[in-house]
Structures are given as C-alpha cells and as structure tokens.
Amino acid sequence: MRIEGLNFCILRPVIVYGRYDMSNYVTLNAMNAAMYKMNQEKMLVLWEKDKKTNMVSVKDVVRAVMYVLEKSKQNEIYNISAS
C-alpha cells in the first residue's frame, strides 16, 4: 500500500546487543558460545553450518540510523547487520 506524499525508510536490524541490554539472552549465549569455542567443543546452536546467528552492536545500529537520517534515499528498506 502506498500513501501519496508519505516518505519513509524501514530499518530491519538483526539481533542487537550492547550496553544496557536487559534481556541478557544475547550476552549469555555469546559468552556460552565463546566458552565452547575456546574449549574446542561444538555448540550446535550457534556453530552448526545450518544454524547461524547474526548479531550487530547497538553502536553500529545507531550509526546506521544516523546515516539513513542524513543521507538515505526516500522510501528505502535497509537491513542492518554486522556482515
């Protein structure tokens, strides 16, 4: 649906982590995954080839938002991720 004269940008970030993250989900899983990797053990949730998780720092999301506000084209969709 299009509304004439309406300008928009849609930002779609992946899982966001960073300071003041109250869910602790990402932080705990990242720490857990690091322990598995350090011990050279396989953690199926994050390291299996068919199961990938993409995360992005809240600082990078803020940079992306600022970029879109300052320089983006109108009526665009942006996927925000670390890679």
Side-chain angles (χ1 to χ4, degrees):
M1 177 170 112
R2 295 247 181 220
I3 300 173
E4 192 172 326
L6 177 66
N7 296 319
F8 66 89
C9 285
I10 297 173
L11 292 96
R12 300 187 300 201
V14 294
I15 299 171
V16 179
Y17 69 91
R19 193 171 186 185
Y20 304 114
D21 177 12
M22 299 301 176
S23 70
N24 291 324
Y25 171 79
V26 172
T27 303
L28 292 174
N29 279 330
M31 289 171 41
N32 195 19
M35 294 300 293
Y36 273 90
K37 193 170 186 179
M38 187 173 65
N39 292 324
Q40 298 179 343
E41 295 178 16
K42 190 174 189 179
M43 182 177 172
L44 297 178
V45 176
L46 292 177
W47 305 115
E48 190 69 22
K49 69 177 182 176
D50 296 333
K51 297 179 181 180
K52 297 184 181 182
T53 301
N54 197 347
M55 299 181 290
V56 65
S57 165
V58 69
K59 290 179 181 182
D60 291 332
V61 173
V62 171
R63 285 187 195 108
V65 169
M66 295 305 296
Y67 177 85
V68 168
L69 287 172
E70 295 171 358
K71 300 180 181 181
S72 72
K73 298 177 183 176
Q74 296 176 353
N75 307 333
E76 292 288 328
I77 299 172
Y78 296 89
N79 295 320
I80 303 172
S81 77
S83 56

